[in-house]
Amino acid sequence: MKSCVLAYSGGLDTSVILGWLQDQGYEVHAVYVDLGQPCEDRAATLKKAQDAGAKSARIVDVREELCRDFAFPVLSWQAKYESIYLLGTSIARPLISKVMLEVAREVGATAYAHGATGKGNDQCRFQLAAEALDPSIEMIAPWRIKEFRDLFPGRTELIAYCEEKGIPVKASSSKPYSSDENVLHISYEAGQLEDLTVNGVELVDFGMTVSPQAAPDKPEEVTIDFEAGVPVALNGKTVSALEMVESLNEIGGRNGVGRIDMIENRFVGMKSRGVYEAPGMTVLYDALLNVEQLTLDRDLVRLRDKLAVEVSEMVYYGFWYTPKFDALLAFINEARKPVTGSVTLQLYKGNIIVSSRQSPNSLYDEEIATMEGGGSYNQDDAEGFLRIHGLPSRVQGRVSPRPY
C-alpha cells in the first residue's frame, strides 16, 4: 500500500482529503503541526483523524521553534511584505514542511499531501520547502488534480462527502471568510472579504485583538529587553521566545494593537485582499526598531533595509531553504550583534508610543548632538564639509543654470 503524510488541520478541506487519499489507496499518517493556533481544539482534531481512518495521527509541538528560529530572524530584518504584512503565515510554512518530512522519514512514507489551494501562496511555500529538503518526495496537492476538483467543485460536495463518511465538520453553513492561525497571527481572506467595498475590520470576528475603540482608555506600559537583536525579557522577567510572543499577544491584543487590511500581490500573480492581526509581533517590531536606532550604524541600517525587501519576498514566496537565504540569515546574525538594550512602550488604543529607550551600545552622544552651547562638536567643521559636498552642484549650476 502507498503511504503518505498529510498536513492535517481537521478543517473541511483536510478532512475530505484524508478520506479521499484513502479512497486512492494510500495509508495516511495525519500530522497536526502545533503552531500555537489560539482557537483550535487539539485533542478533538487528533481524535477526528483517528476516527476517520488515519494509519497514525499525531500532534507535533513546534511553537517555541517557530518563534525562536523562524519568526525572530525575520523580525531582526524588520522584514514586512509590501511594507505592511508581518509574514505570519509565510514564516510557518517551511517549518511545517520540515516537520512533515521528519514524520515521513520515520513512518516510511514517500508522499506528502496538503490542502492548499492551487490559486494561493501556500502551495508554493509547502512544495518549495519540501523539495529543497527532500528532492525525492512526491507532493500531492489535491486541489491541483482535475479529478479531485471535478469530484468536489464546491463546499456543498465537500460537506456531502463528510456526511456520507460520517466525518464531523463545522462547515455546515457558509462562513463569510476563511482564516488561518498560529501564535504569530491570524489571517482572514476569501468569502465576503473578496468584495473590496466591505469593511474588513468590521466584518471579521478577530480572535486575538479588541478594536482600538473598545481598548482601555488608559495607556499600558510594557518594557522589552533585547540581547544581540533577540527579545529576551518582558517587564523585567526573562522569558522564552514563545512566552514573549504569547504574553505580548495578550498585552497588545487587549490594547487594540496589530490589525491591518491590505491588498497584496500573491506569488502566483494575482492580487488578493487579506486582513491580519498580529499584536505581539507588531509590538516587537516597534520595540526592536527603537533599540536599533540607538545601536546600529547608519550605513549598515541602509544596507539591511535594502536587503529586507528581498528577504520579505523570499519568505513570502517560500524560498526559505536556499543558499541565498542561508547567506542572508548569516548576515543578519552578524549585523544584529550590537542590538542590546531596553525599550519601554505605551500601548494605547491601537497606537504604540515610546516612553524610553537605553542601551550599553548606544551610539547616541548627547555631548555631540546637543543644540545647546558647548559640546564636543565643532560647528566650524561644517563649512568645509558643505563646500566639498556642494562642489558638483556649483559646477553644474555654472554650466547648466536652472531657472527659478
Side-chain angles (χ1 to χ4, degrees), residues 4-18 20-21 28 31 93 96-97 100 112-127 139-145 148-149 152 155 158 178-180 189:
C4 76
V5 291
L6 169 64
Y8 182 75
S9 69
L12 179 60
D13 286 13
T14 55
S15 294
V16 170
I17 290 170
L18 173 57
W20 180 80
L21 286 168
V28 183
V31 184
R93 295 328 193 197
I96 291 174
S97 281
M100 298 305 297
Y112 165 16
H114 61 76
T117 173
K119 284 188 174 184
N121 297 306
D122 281 338
Q123 59 172 339
C124 308
R125 298 162 183 157
F126 286 140
Q127 186 156 339
M139 296 299 299
I140 303 175
W143 287 113
R144 299 203 303 259
I145 300 173
F148 182 87
R149 296 197 307 272
F152 303 106
R155 292 172 65 85
L158 293 169
S178 65
S179 63
D180 179 81
E189 63 179 0

Side-chain angles (χ1 to χ4, degrees), residues 33-35 60-73 91-92 94-96 98-99 102 183-184 240-242 320-321:
V33 182
D34 187 353
L35 302 160
V60 181
D61 185 349
V62 294
R63 295 174 298 160
E64 183 71 31
E65 185 178 2
L66 173 64
C67 297
R68 182 191 64 231
D69 299 339
F70 287 78
F72 284 3
I91 290 168
L95 177 54
I96 291 174
K98 182 171 79 75
V99 170
E102 289 169 345
V183 72
L184 305 177
S240 69
L242 176 61
W320 189 281
Y321 301 116

Side-chain angles (χ1 to χ4, degrees), residues 240-263:
S240 69
L242 176 61
E243 290 171 330
M244 177 69 72
V245 175
E246 288 183 329
S247 297
L248 287 175
N249 280 340
E250 293 182 13
I251 297 169
R254 64 177 173 247
N255 286 285
V257 169
R259 294 182 177 186
I260 63 169
D261 181 347
M262 69 180 292
I263 306 297

